Amino acid sequence: MDDDTHSRIILLTEERLAGDGSGHGMDHTLRVCRNALTIQASEGGDADIIELAALLHDVDDRKLFGDDHLTCSYACQVMKETGFSQDVRDAVVSIIQDLSFKGTDTKVPDSLEGRIVQDADRLDAIGAIGIARAFSYGGSRGRVMYDPAISPETNMDERTYFANRGTTVNHFHEKLLLLKDMMNTETGRRMAGSRHQFMLEFLDRFVKEWNGDC
């Protein structure tokens, strides 16, 4: 990908995600892109497709833009405007549509490129950044931070998962703590290990402080 094309995609993505307060802003996109290229350096795959999918992975996200995720209309518009072939656009759309966590209906992308971008996105959902993003998203949606009387829901399918309005702490048990074992690549699994452990330590401390035990 040449510098002019890269800069144009960055600009259009920034415009689309401007003002986001849910943890899905441009900073998240750039971290996912860096994670993806780090994984690609060890695992292989087409770097241009990986970078393109990482940069565009949230521009049609259902949590932000509703039904746009069905056609990836904004991502397609950006790729067409910046001169990518139909084959590349199809490959990127396929990656984006299979990327998200959907409970028991979560898909593993068919391509290596897709599996790498999925790992990269998951890495930014765990660890210290993942903790911050979880509470940022919960706050943006008016969710209760924690309620020990509300138990996490397990084995949710796609419909139930996206309808769920549980607490932010429950979200760790319903998704974030599951991601380490859902990594597709050896590099992704290695990168996820310490982040996963940090979340466990945080949750232990959180509950102790909530209960006045420390």
Side-chain angles (χ1 to χ4, degrees):
M1 189 186 306
D2 63 63
D3 290 344
D4 288 345
T5 300
H6 183 268
S7 296
R8 182 61 178 160
I9 292 168
I10 292 287
L11 177 63
L12 292 170
T13 303
E14 284 179 328
E15 290 177 355
R16 179 69 158 174
L17 300 175
D20 176 78
S22 73
H24 295 81
M26 196 66 198
D27 58 327
H28 163 66
T29 292
L30 293 176
R31 288 192 303 271
V32 171
C33 191
R34 287 195 296 270
N35 288 340
L37 292 177
T38 296
I39 297 171
Q40 187 274 336
S42 296
E43 303 286 342
D46 187 312
D48 282 346
I49 288 179
I50 289 168
E51 184 174 22
L52 187 57
L55 289 173
L56 297 175
H57 80 279
D58 268 346
V59 298
D60 295 292
D61 190 285
R62 72 190 297 174
K63 297 184 293 297
L64 309 178
F65 304 109
D67 287 342
D68 284 4
H69 74 282
L70 297 171
T71 60
C72 294
S73 57
Y74 192 83
C76 289
Q77 174 186 326
V78 170
M79 288 187 286
K80 189 172 183 179
E81 178 178 324
T82 49
F84 287 95
S85 69
Q86 187 65 55
D87 285 347
V88 169
R89 299 201 301 267
D90 289 345
V92 170
V93 166
S94 178
I95 290 170
I96 293 172
Q97 289 180 329
D98 288 344
L99 201 66
S100 296
F101 182 85
K102 301 172 184 175
T104 56
D105 293 319
T106 300
K107 296 181 180 179
V108 176
D110 292 331
S111 67
L112 172 60
E113 291 79 9
R115 294 191 291 273
I116 287 172
V117 178
Q118 189 176 67
D119 278 4
D121 189 35
R122 288 172 173 173
L123 284 168
D124 207 53
I126 61 178
I129 293 291
I131 292 168
R133 291 183 64 225
F135 283 95
S136 180
Y137 183 80
S140 75
R141 298 301 188 267
R143 294 188 177 182
V144 173
M145 185 167 62
Y146 177 57
D147 184 341
I150 302 175
S151 299
E153 294 193 41
T154 58
N155 297 316
M156 290 183 283
D157 60 15
E158 180 178 0
R159 182 190 62 78
T160 306
Y161 174 74
F162 281 103
N164 181 35
R165 294 294 179 268
T167 72
T168 295
V169 168
N170 280 357
H171 184 63
F172 285 82
H173 300 282
E174 294 164 349
K175 174 186 176 182
L176 305 186
L177 292 174
L178 307 179
L179 296 181
K180 176 179 71 73
D181 292 333
M182 297 176 72
M183 290 290 170
N184 302 301
T185 66
E186 181 60 34
T187 306
R189 285 188 287 273
R190 176 180 55 77
M191 294 173 70
S194 63
R195 299 183 188 215
H196 179 84
Q197 183 60 35
F198 187 84
M199 290 194 299
L200 292 175
E201 294 167 2
F202 167 80
L203 289 170
D204 180 66
R205 178 78 183 193
F206 181 98
V207 172
K208 285 178 178 177
E209 289 188 9
W210 185 279
N211 292 328
D213 292 337
C214 64

